[in-house]
Amino acid sequence: MNSMKNSAGNAMQEMEVIYDSLDYKLNRLSETGTGIAQNLFKREDMKNAVDGLTNLGEIIDFITNKLGLFGTIATGSSIAAFIKNFDWLCNKSYLKIA
């Protein structure tokens, strides 16, 4: 009986180590987020959003794989500069829509 009592205590100690691990906490957070999303959104909408984000991730992965760190930074900076100056471009009189 003492052996069974001690084994239950050891199992609980091992579970406490698991509960305190980063992997467990990240998995728990992920599952909580999934549950919230399932409560808020329709299944088809979620599938479309996940597919879209996966495609976007694959595009970013492809670009960063081809360009490397500095090429990605240069491309990102160029896009940011374009967006920042886009309103200036649209304010030109020949681009205004009547």
Side-chain angles (χ1 to χ4, degrees):
M1 290 299 264
N2 283 336
S3 177
M4 289 176 61
K5 182 180 175 185
N6 289 339
S7 70
N10 288 339
M12 186 51 104
Q13 287 176 338
E14 289 299 318
M15 286 305 294
E16 287 175 7
V17 169
I18 291 170
Y19 290 151
D20 196 40
S21 73
L22 180 60
D23 289 337
Y24 176 82
K25 291 178 183 285
L26 288 172
N27 189 44
R28 186 171 169 208
L29 176 64
S30 174
E31 292 302 319
T32 301
T34 300
I36 291 169
Q38 288 174 342
N39 292 336
L40 294 176
F41 305 106
K42 294 179 184 175
R43 191 170 202 79
E44 281 300 314
D45 294 340
M46 285 182 52
K47 286 178 6 182
N48 291 335
V50 169
D51 286 343
L53 289 172
T54 301
N55 290 338
L56 179 63
E58 289 171 350
I59 290 168
I60 292 170
D61 180 47
F62 177 79
I63 291 170
T64 56
N65 187 31
K66 295 297 180 191
L67 297 178
L69 176 63
F70 296 115
T72 303
I73 291 171
T75 302
S77 299
S78 299
I79 292 170
F82 176 77
I83 290 171
K84 181 180 176 187
N85 293 319
F86 189 72
D87 63 333
W88 171 83
L89 181 65
C90 290
N91 287 332
K92 294 292 185 184
S93 61
Y94 57 87
L95 292 177
K96 287 189 178 182
I97 299 173

